[in-house]
């Protein structure tokens, strides 16, 4: 009897496919730690560079893609994502290819909230 691939790993495989086809320059994939070994072996086997960071108690953030993007991630994302400044969050979203207008709205909302908390 063959074991079915978990949906999380199917999503990862789709991200890898899109990266290899040039649809994405960089991917952020949050996954359960139990899939870490499989995911890293898969990326290593395909010579895809990556950065792995803790996310939660049982999760990790896996960034993979172009080396220059990952170098920027190492400099920008130095703490949990919910602790990023509005500017860092905006840059990350733009790097991941998120809708730029939605990123602008998110930035303004976060910046206004951040300014209000500082007062």
């Amino acid at each position: 009897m063959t074991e079915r691939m978990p949906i999380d790993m199917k999503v990862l495989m789709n991200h890898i496919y899109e990266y290899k086809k040039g649809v994405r320059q960089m991917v952020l994939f949050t996954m359960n730690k139990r899939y870490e070994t499989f995911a890293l072996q898969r990326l290593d086997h395909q010579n895809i560079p990556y950065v792995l960071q803790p996310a939660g108690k049982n999760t990790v953030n896996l960034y993979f893609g172009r080396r220059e993007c990952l170098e920027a991630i190492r400099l920008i994302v130095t703490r949990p994502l919910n602790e990023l400044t509005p500017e860092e969050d905006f840059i990350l979203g733009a790097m991941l290819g998120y809708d730029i207008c939605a990123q602008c709205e998110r930035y303004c909302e976060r910046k206004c909230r951040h300014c209000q908390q500082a007062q």
Side-chain angles (χ1 to χ4, degrees), residues 6-9 12 31-40:
I7 190 70
D8 286 353
M9 294 303 93
L12 173 66
M31 66 181 170
N32 190 295
K33 287 181 184 178
R34 71 175 163 227
Y35 302 125
E36 183 178 326
T37 300
F38 174 85
L40 299 184

Side-chain angles (χ1 to χ4, degrees), residues 23-29 62-64 69 73 81 89-99:
V23 174
R24 300 170 180 260
Q25 301 301 307
M26 187 179 75
V27 173
L28 165 57
F29 182 65
L62 177 61
Y63 299 86
F64 64 90
C69 295
I73 289 299
L81 295 179
D89 181 80
F90 179 85
I91 293 167
L92 177 60
M95 290 174 65
L96 290 167
Y98 297 168
D99 177 88

Side-chain angles (χ1 to χ4, degrees), residues 1-81:
M1 181 192 251
T2 57
E3 187 177 323
R4 298 184 108 200
M5 182 180 287
I7 190 70
D8 286 353
M9 294 303 93
K10 289 181 181 180
V11 171
L12 173 66
M13 302 305 285
N14 186 65
H15 285 320
I16 291 171
Y17 173 81
E18 289 180 349
Y19 170 71
K20 298 282 272 186
K21 290 294 182 183
V23 174
R24 300 170 180 260
Q25 301 301 307
M26 187 179 75
V27 173
L28 165 57
F29 182 65
T30 302
M31 66 181 170
N32 190 295
K33 287 181 184 178
R34 71 175 163 227
Y35 302 125
E36 183 178 326
T37 300
F38 174 85
L40 299 184
Q41 287 176 345
R42 193 68 172 203
L43 293 172
D44 285 336
H45 178 72
Q46 296 191 37
N47 297 312
I48 299 173
Y50 59 85
V51 170
L52 189 67
Q53 294 179 332
K57 183 178 172 187
N58 296 312
T59 57
V60 291
N61 284 331
L62 177 61
Y63 299 86
F64 64 90
R66 302 276 304 264
R67 290 192 190 282
E68 54 269 36
C69 295
L70 296 176
E71 289 303 317
I73 289 299
R74 286 185 181 94
L75 296 171
I76 295 168
V77 185
T78 58
R79 57 195 171 284
L81 295 179

